[in-house]
Amino acid sequence: MSSVSVKSNLAIPFAIPLPVEFTLTGRAFNTKILIICHQLACNTEQDCQMLFAGALTTDMDTAIVLLLSGRRQQAGG
């Protein structure tokens, strides 16, 4: 699964795959609901810590379905 940023991909580059386990992105993907984290510093999930290390303080994740080359693929984000 990959992370897509609206603002910048500096904290978690698109090329870095994220595991479904132990990430907020994975939790949003599995539950298919929007998840907002208002304080990344307080969250222990791997992607939240990476975002906080990249100077971000909040995060919003949701599952996104991408249609590429006629095939249906899912990405977390």
Side-chain angles (χ1 to χ4, degrees):
M1 162 176 354
S2 297
S3 175
V4 178
S5 174
V6 174
K7 185 173 181 183
S8 170
N9 281 335
L10 298 177
I12 304 177
F14 186 71
I16 295 178
L18 292 172
V20 174
E21 300 81 20
F22 311 113
T23 61
L24 191 68
T25 303
R27 195 161 31 117
F29 178 80
N30 284 333
T31 61
K32 308 290 189 271
I33 61 170
L34 174 70
I35 300 175
I36 299 171
C37 180
H38 294 284
Q39 297 181 354
L40 289 173
C42 298
N43 193 308
T44 60
E45 291 169 298
Q46 180 182 359
D47 53 345
C48 293
Q49 290 300 303
M50 293 170 74
L51 292 171
F52 183 68
L56 291 149
T57 57
T58 62
D59 179 44
M60 181 170 58
D61 290 323
T62 190
I64 299 173
V65 176
L66 301 175
L67 297 176
L68 302 172
S69 303
R71 295 184 349 218
R72 181 178 171 183
Q73 296 183 353
Q74 291 185 338

Coordinates of all heavy atoms in Angstrom, one line a residue:
M1 N 0.9 -1.1 0.0 CA 0.0 0.0 0.0 C 0.9 1.2 0.0 O 2.0 1.2 0.6 CB -0.9 -0.1 1.2 CG -1.5 1.2 1.6 SD -2.7 1.0 3.0 CE -2.8 -0.6 3.4
S2 N 0.5 2.3 -0.6 CA 1.3 3.5 -0.7 C 0.5 4.7 -0.1 O -0.7 4.7 0.0 CB 1.6 3.9 -2.2 OG 2.4 2.9 -2.7
S3 N 1.2 5.7 0.3 CA 0.7 6.9 0.8 C 0.7 8.0 -0.3 O 1.7 8.2 -0.9 CB 1.5 7.4 2.0 OG 1.0 8.6 2.5
V4 N -0.4 8.8 -0.4 CA -0.4 9.9 -1.3 C -0.7 11.1 -0.5 O -1.7 11.1 0.2 CB -1.5 9.7 -2.4 CG1 -1.6 10.8 -3.3 CG2 -1.3 8.4 -3.2
S5 N 0.1 12.1 -0.7 CA -0.1 13.4 0.0 C -0.6 14.5 -0.8 O -0.2 14.6 -2.0 CB 1.3 13.8 0.6 OG 1.1 15.0 1.3
V6 N -1.6 15.3 -0.3 CA -2.1 16.4 -1.0 C -1.1 17.5 -1.0 O -0.9 18.3 -1.9 CB -3.4 16.9 -0.4 CG1 -3.9 18.1 -1.0 CG2 -4.5 15.8 -0.5
K7 N -0.3 17.7 0.1 CA 0.6 18.8 0.3 C 2.0 18.5 -0.2 O 2.6 19.2 -0.9 CB 0.6 19.2 1.7 CG 1.4 20.5 2.0 CD 1.3 21.0 3.4 CE 2.1 22.2 3.5 NZ 2.1 22.8 4.9
S8 N 2.6 17.4 0.3 CA 3.9 17.0 0.0 C 4.2 15.6 0.3 O 3.6 15.0 1.2 CB 4.9 17.9 0.9 OG 6.2 17.4 0.8
N9 N 5.1 15.0 -0.5 CA 5.5 13.6 -0.2 C 6.9 13.5 0.4 O 7.6 12.5 0.3 CB 5.5 12.8 -1.5 CG 4.1 12.4 -2.0 OD1 3.3 12.3 -1.2 ND2 4.0 12.2 -3.3
L10 N 7.3 14.6 1.1 CA 8.6 14.6 1.7 C 8.7 13.7 3.0 O 9.7 13.1 3.2 CB 9.0 16.0 2.1 CG 9.2 16.9 0.8 CD1 9.5 18.4 1.3 CD2 10.2 16.4 -0.1
A11 N 7.6 13.7 3.8 CA 7.7 12.9 5.0 C 7.6 11.4 4.8 O 8.3 10.6 5.4 CB 6.5 13.3 5.9
I12 N 6.8 11.0 3.8 CA 6.7 9.6 3.4 C 6.7 9.6 1.9 O 5.6 9.8 1.3 CB 5.4 8.9 3.9 CG1 5.3 9.0 5.5 CG2 5.4 7.4 3.5 CD1 4.1 8.4 6.1
P13 N 7.8 9.4 1.2 CA 7.9 9.3 -0.2 C 6.9 8.3 -0.8 O 6.7 7.2 -0.2 CB 9.3 9.0 -0.5 CG 10.1 9.4 0.7 CD 9.2 9.2 1.8
F14 N 6.3 8.5 -1.9 CA 5.4 7.6 -2.6 C 6.0 6.2 -2.8 O 5.3 5.2 -2.8 CB 4.9 8.2 -3.9 CG 3.8 7.4 -4.5 CD1 2.5 7.4 -4.0 CD2 4.0 6.7 -5.7 CE1 1.5 6.7 -4.6 CE2 3.0 6.0 -6.3 CZ 1.8 5.9 -5.7
A15 N 7.3 6.2 -3.1 CA 7.9 4.9 -3.4 C 8.1 4.0 -2.2 O 8.3 2.8 -2.3 CB 9.3 5.2 -4.0
I16 N 7.9 4.5 -0.9 CA 8.0 3.7 0.3 C 6.7 3.0 0.5 O 5.7 3.6 0.8 CB 8.4 4.5 1.5 CG1 9.8 5.1 1.3 CG2 8.3 3.7 2.8 CD1 10.2 6.0 2.4
P17 N 6.7 1.6 0.4 CA 5.4 0.9 0.7 C 5.1 1.0 2.2 O 6.0 0.9 3.1 CB 5.7 -0.5 0.3 CG 7.2 -0.6 0.3 CD 7.7 0.8 0.1
L18 N 3.8 1.1 2.6 CA 3.4 1.0 4.0 C 2.7 -0.3 4.3 O 1.9 -0.7 3.5 CB 2.5 2.2 4.3 CG 3.0 3.6 4.2 CD1 1.9 4.6 4.3 CD2 4.1 3.8 5.3
P19 N 3.0 -0.9 5.4 CA 2.3 -2.1 5.8 C 0.9 -1.8 6.2 O 0.6 -0.7 6.7 CB 3.2 -2.6 7.0 CG 3.8 -1.4 7.6 CD 4.0 -0.5 6.4
V20 N 0.0 -2.7 6.1 CA -1.4 -2.5 6.5 C -1.4 -2.6 8.1 O -2.1 -1.8 8.7 CB -2.3 -3.6 5.9 CG1 -3.7 -3.5 6.5 CG2 -2.3 -3.4 4.4
E21 N -0.6 -3.4 8.7 CA -0.6 -3.6 10.1 C 0.2 -2.4 10.7 O 1.2 -2.0 10.2 CB 0.1 -4.9 10.5 CG -0.6 -6.1 10.0 CD -0.2 -6.5 8.6 OE1 0.8 -6.0 8.1 OE2 -1.0 -7.2 7.9
F22 N -0.2 -1.9 11.8 CA 0.5 -0.9 12.6 C 0.6 0.5 12.0 O 1.6 1.2 12.2 CB 1.9 -1.4 13.0 CG 1.9 -2.8 13.6 CD1 2.5 -3.8 13.0 CD2 1.2 -3.0 14.8 CE1 2.5 -5.1 13.5 CE2 1.2 -4.3 15.4 CZ 1.8 -5.3 14.7
T23 N -0.3 0.8 11.0 CA -0.3 2.1 10.4 C -1.8 2.7 10.4 O -2.7 1.9 10.3 CB 0.2 2.1 9.0 OG1 -0.6 1.3 8.2 CG2 1.6 1.6 8.9
L24 N -1.9 4.0 10.5 CA -3.2 4.6 10.4 C -3.7 4.5 9.0 O -4.9 4.3 8.8 CB -3.0 6.1 10.8 CG -4.3 6.9 11.0 CD1 -5.0 6.4 12.2 CD2 -4.0 8.4 11.1
T25 N -2.8 4.5 8.0 CA -3.2 4.3 6.6 C -3.9 2.9 6.5 O -4.9 2.8 5.8 CB -2.0 4.4 5.7 OG1 -1.4 5.7 5.9 CG2 -2.4 4.3 4.3
G26 N -3.2 1.9 7.0 CA -3.8 0.5 7.0 C -5.1 0.4 7.7 O -6.0 -0.3 7.2
R27 N -5.2 1.1 8.8 CA -6.5 1.1 9.6 C -7.6 1.7 8.7 O -8.7 1.2 8.7 CB -6.3 1.8 10.9 CG -7.4 1.5 11.9 CD -7.1 1.7 13.3 NE -6.2 2.8 13.6 CZ -6.6 3.9 14.3 NH1 -7.8 4.1 14.7 NH2 -5.6 4.8 14.6
A28 N -7.3 2.8 8.1 CA -8.3 3.5 7.2 C -8.7 2.6 6.0 O -9.8 2.5 5.6 CB -7.8 4.8 6.7
F29 N -7.7 1.9 5.5 CA -7.9 1.0 4.4 C -8.8 -0.2 4.8 O -9.8 -0.5 4.1 CB -6.6 0.5 3.9 CG -6.7 -0.5 2.7 CD1 -6.9 -0.1 1.4 CD2 -6.5 -1.9 3.0 CE1 -7.0 -1.0 0.4 CE2 -6.6 -2.8 1.9 CZ -6.9 -2.3 0.6
N30 N -8.5 -0.8 5.9 CA -9.3 -1.9 6.4 C -10.7 -1.6 6.8 O -11.6 -2.4 6.5 CB -8.6 -2.6 7.6 CG -7.4 -3.4 7.1 OD1 -7.3 -3.9 6.0 ND2 -6.4 -3.6 8.0
T31 N -10.9 -0.4 7.4 CA -12.2 0.0 7.9 C -13.0 0.7 6.8 O -14.3 0.8 6.9 CB -12.2 0.8 9.1 OG1 -11.4 2.0 8.8 CG2 -11.5 0.1 10.3
K32 N -12.4 1.2 5.8 CA -13.0 2.0 4.7 C -13.7 3.2 5.2 O -14.7 3.6 4.7 CB -14.0 1.1 3.9 CG -13.5 -0.2 3.4 CD -12.5 0.0 2.3 CE -12.1 -1.3 1.6 NZ -11.0 -2.0 2.2
I33 N -13.1 3.8 6.3 CA -13.7 5.1 6.8 C -12.6 6.1 6.9 O -11.4 5.8 7.0 CB -14.4 4.9 8.2 CG1 -13.4 4.4 9.2 CG2 -15.6 4.0 8.1 CD1 -13.9 4.5 10.6
L34 N -13.0 7.4 6.9 CA -12.0 8.5 7.0 C -11.6 8.5 8.5 O -12.4 8.4 9.4 CB -12.7 9.8 6.7 CG -11.9 11.1 6.9 CD1 -10.8 11.2 5.9 CD2 -12.9 12.3 6.8
I35 N -10.3 8.6 8.7 CA -9.7 8.7 10.0 C -8.9 10.0 10.1 O -8.0 10.2 9.3 CB -8.8 7.5 10.4 CG1 -9.7 6.2 10.3 CG2 -8.2 7.7 11.8 CD1 -8.9 4.9 10.6
I36 N -9.1 10.8 11.1 CA -8.4 12.0 11.3 C -7.6 11.9 12.6 O -8.1 11.6 13.6 CB -9.3 13.3 11.4 CG1 -10.1 13.4 10.1 CG2 -8.5 14.5 11.7 CD1 -11.2 14.4 10.1
C37 N -6.3 12.2 12.5 CA -5.4 12.3 13.7 C -5.0 13.7 13.9 O -4.3 14.3 13.1 CB -4.2 11.4 13.5 SG -3.1 11.4 14.9
H38 N -5.5 14.3 15.0 CA -5.3 15.7 15.3 C -3.9 15.9 16.0 O -3.4 17.1 16.0 CB -6.4 16.3 16.2 CG -7.7 16.3 15.5 ND1 -8.0 17.3 14.6 CD2 -8.8 15.5 15.6 CE1 -9.2 17.1 14.2 NE2 -9.7 16.0 14.8
Q39 N -3.3 14.9 16.5 CA -2.0 15.0 17.2 C -1.1 13.9 16.9 O -1.1 12.8 17.6 CB -2.2 15.1 18.7 CG -3.0 16.3 19.2 CD -3.1 16.3 20.7 OE1 -2.8 15.4 21.4 NE2 -3.7 17.4 21.2
L40 N -0.4 14.0 15.8 CA 0.5 12.9 15.4 C 1.6 12.6 16.4 O 2.0 11.4 16.5 CB 1.2 13.3 14.1 CG 0.4 13.3 12.8 CD1 1.1 13.9 11.6 CD2 -0.2 12.0 12.5
A41 N 2.0 13.6 17.2 CA 3.0 13.3 18.3 C 2.5 12.3 19.3 O 3.3 11.6 19.9 CB 3.3 14.6 19.0
C42 N 1.2 12.1 19.5 CA 0.6 11.2 20.5 C 0.3 9.9 19.9 O -0.1 8.9 20.6 CB -0.6 11.8 21.1 SG -0.3 13.3 22.0
N43 N 0.4 9.7 18.6 CA 0.1 8.4 17.9 C 1.3 7.6 17.7 O 2.3 8.0 17.3 CB -0.6 8.7 16.6 CG -1.3 7.5 16.0 OD1 -0.7 6.5 15.9 ND2 -2.5 7.7 15.7
T44 N 1.2 6.3 18.1 CA 2.4 5.4 18.0 C 2.4 4.6 16.7 O 3.4 3.9 16.4 CB 2.4 4.4 19.1 OG1 1.1 3.6 19.1 CG2 2.5 5.1 20.5
E45 N 1.4 4.8 15.8 CA 1.4 4.0 14.5 C 2.6 4.5 13.6 O 3.0 5.7 13.6 CB 0.1 4.1 13.8 CG -1.0 3.4 14.6 CD -2.4 3.7 14.1 OE1 -2.8 4.8 14.2 OE2 -3.0 2.7 13.7
Q46 N 3.2 3.6 12.9 CA 4.4 3.8 12.1 C 4.3 5.0 11.2 O 5.2 5.9 11.2 CB 4.8 2.6 11.3 CG 6.0 2.7 10.5 CD 6.3 1.4 9.7 OE1 5.6 0.5 9.8 NE2 7.3 1.5 8.9
D47 N 3.3 5.1 10.4 CA 3.2 6.2 9.5 C 3.0 7.6 10.2 O 3.5 8.6 9.7 CB 2.1 6.0 8.4 CG 0.7 5.7 9.0 OD1 0.6 5.3 10.2 OD2 -0.3 5.7 8.2
C48 N 2.3 7.6 11.3 CA 2.1 8.8 12.0 C 3.4 9.3 12.6 O 3.7 10.5 12.5 CB 1.1 8.6 13.2 SG -0.6 8.3 12.6
Q49 N 4.3 8.4 13.1 CA 5.6 8.8 13.6 C 6.4 9.4 12.4 O 7.2 10.3 12.6 CB 6.2 7.6 14.3 CG 5.6 7.3 15.6 CD 5.6 8.4 16.5 OE1 6.6 9.0 16.9 NE2 4.4 8.9 17.0
M50 N 6.3 8.8 11.2 CA 7.1 9.3 10.1 C 6.6 10.7 9.7 O 7.5 11.5 9.4 CB 7.0 8.3 8.9 CG 7.6 6.9 9.1 SD 7.2 5.7 7.9 CE 8.1 6.3 6.5
L51 N 5.3 10.9 9.7 CA 4.8 12.2 9.3 C 5.2 13.2 10.4 O 5.6 14.4 10.0 CB 3.3 12.1 9.2 CG 2.7 11.3 8.1 CD1 1.2 11.2 8.2 CD2 3.1 12.0 6.7
F52 N 5.2 12.9 11.7 CA 5.6 13.8 12.7 C 7.1 14.1 12.6 O 7.5 15.3 12.8 CB 5.3 13.2 14.1 CG 5.6 14.1 15.2 CD1 4.8 15.3 15.4 CD2 6.6 13.9 16.1 CE1 5.1 16.2 16.4 CE2 6.9 14.7 17.1 CZ 6.2 15.9 17.3
A53 N 7.9 13.1 12.3 CA 9.3 13.4 12.1 C 9.5 14.3 10.9 O 10.6 15.0 10.8 CB 10.0 12.1 11.9
G54 N 8.6 14.3 9.9 CA 8.7 15.2 8.8 C 8.0 16.6 9.0 O 7.7 17.3 8.1
A55 N 7.8 16.9 10.3 CA 7.3 18.2 10.7 C 5.8 18.4 10.5 O 5.3 19.5 10.5 CB 8.1 19.3 10.0
L56 N 5.0 17.3 10.3 CA 3.6 17.5 10.2 C 3.0 17.2 11.6 O 3.5 16.5 12.4 CB 3.0 16.5 9.2 CG 3.4 16.8 7.7 CD1 3.5 15.5 6.9 CD2 2.4 17.7 7.1
T57 N 1.9 17.8 11.9 CA 1.3 17.7 13.2 C -0.1 17.0 13.1 O -0.5 16.5 14.1 CB 1.1 19.1 13.8 OG1 0.3 19.9 13.0 CG2 2.4 19.7 14.1
T58 N -0.8 17.0 12.0 CA -2.1 16.4 11.9 C -2.1 15.5 10.6 O -1.3 15.7 9.7 CB -3.2 17.4 11.8 OG1 -3.1 18.2 10.7 CG2 -3.3 18.2 13.1
D59 N -3.1 14.6 10.5 CA -3.2 13.7 9.4 C -4.6 13.3 9.1 O -5.4 13.2 10.1 CB -2.3 12.5 9.6 CG -2.3 11.5 8.5 OD1 -2.3 11.9 7.3 OD2 -2.4 10.3 8.8
M60 N -5.0 13.0 7.9 CA -6.3 12.5 7.5 C -6.1 11.4 6.5 O -5.4 11.6 5.5 CB -7.1 13.7 6.9 CG -8.5 13.2 6.6 SD -9.6 14.6 6.1 CE -8.7 15.4 4.8
D61 N -6.6 10.2 6.8 CA -6.4 9.1 6.0 C -7.7 8.5 5.5 O -8.7 8.4 6.3 CB -5.6 7.9 6.7 CG -4.2 8.3 6.9 OD1 -3.6 8.9 6.0 OD2 -3.6 7.9 8.0
T62 N -7.8 8.0 4.3 CA -9.0 7.3 3.8 C -8.5 6.4 2.7 O -7.5 6.6 2.1 CB -10.0 8.3 3.3 OG1 -11.2 7.6 3.0 CG2 -9.6 9.1 2.0
A63 N -9.3 5.4 2.4 CA -9.0 4.4 1.3 C -9.5 5.1 0.0 O -10.5 5.7 -0.1 CB -9.8 3.1 1.5
I64 N -8.7 5.0 -1.0 CA -9.0 5.5 -2.3 C -8.9 4.4 -3.3 O -7.9 3.6 -3.4 CB -8.0 6.6 -2.7 CG1 -8.0 7.8 -1.7 CG2 -8.2 7.1 -4.1 CD1 -7.0 8.8 -1.9
V65 N -9.9 4.3 -4.2 CA -9.8 3.3 -5.3 C -9.3 4.0 -6.5 O -9.9 5.0 -7.0 CB -11.3 2.7 -5.5 CG1 -11.2 1.8 -6.7 CG2 -11.7 2.0 -4.3
L66 N -8.3 3.4 -7.1 CA -7.7 4.0 -8.4 C -8.0 3.0 -9.5 O -7.9 1.8 -9.4 CB -6.2 4.1 -8.2 CG -5.7 5.0 -7.1 CD1 -4.1 4.9 -7.0 CD2 -6.1 6.4 -7.3
L67 N -8.4 3.6 -10.6 CA -8.6 2.8 -11.9 C -7.4 3.1 -12.8 O -7.2 4.2 -13.3 CB -9.9 3.2 -12.5 CG -11.1 2.9 -11.7 CD1 -12.4 3.4 -12.5 CD2 -11.3 1.4 -11.4
L68 N -6.6 2.0 -13.0 CA -5.4 2.2 -13.8 C -5.4 1.1 -14.9 O -5.5 -0.1 -14.6 CB -4.1 2.0 -13.0 CG -3.9 3.0 -11.8 CD1 -2.7 2.7 -11.0 CD2 -3.8 4.4 -12.4
S69 N -5.3 1.5 -16.1 CA -5.2 0.5 -17.2 C -6.4 -0.4 -17.3 O -6.2 -1.6 -17.6 CB -3.9 -0.2 -17.2 OG -2.8 0.6 -17.2
G70 N -7.5 0.1 -16.9 CA -8.7 -0.8 -16.9 C -8.8 -1.8 -15.8 O -9.8 -2.5 -15.7
R71 N -7.9 -1.8 -14.9 CA -7.9 -2.7 -13.7 C -8.2 -1.9 -12.5 O -7.8 -0.8 -12.3 CB -6.6 -3.4 -13.6 CG -6.2 -4.3 -14.7 CD -4.9 -5.0 -14.4 NE -4.1 -4.6 -13.3 CZ -2.8 -4.5 -13.3 NH1 -2.1 -4.8 -14.3 NH2 -2.2 -4.1 -12.2
R72 N -9.0 -2.5 -11.6 CA -9.3 -1.8 -10.4 C -8.3 -2.1 -9.3 O -8.0 -3.3 -9.0 CB -10.7 -2.3 -9.9 CG -11.2 -1.7 -8.6 CD -12.5 -2.2 -8.2 NE -12.8 -1.7 -6.9 CZ -13.9 -2.0 -6.2 NH1 -14.8 -2.8 -6.7 NH2 -14.1 -1.5 -5.0
Q73 N -7.7 -1.1 -8.7 CA -6.7 -1.3 -7.7 C -7.1 -0.4 -6.5 O -7.8 0.6 -6.7 CB -5.3 -0.9 -8.2 CG -4.8 -1.7 -9.3 CD -3.4 -1.3 -9.7 OE1 -2.9 -0.3 -9.2 NE2 -2.8 -2.1 -10.5
Q74 N -6.7 -0.8 -5.3 CA -7.0 0.0 -4.1 C -5.7 0.5 -3.6 O -4.7 -0.2 -3.5 CB -7.8 -0.8 -3.1 CG -9.2 -1.2 -3.5 CD -9.9 -1.9 -2.4 OE1 -9.3 -2.4 -1.5 NE2 -11.2 -1.8 -2.4
A75 N -5.8 1.8 -3.1 CA -4.6 2.3 -2.4 C -5.1 3.0 -1.2 O -6.2 3.5 -1.1 CB -3.9 3.4 -3.3
G76 N -4.2 3.0 -0.1 CA -4.6 3.6 1.1 C -4.0 5.1 1.2 O -3.0 5.3 0.6
G77 N -4.6 6.0 2.0 CA -4.1 7.3 1.9 C -4.5 8.3 2.6 O -4.5 9.0 3.3

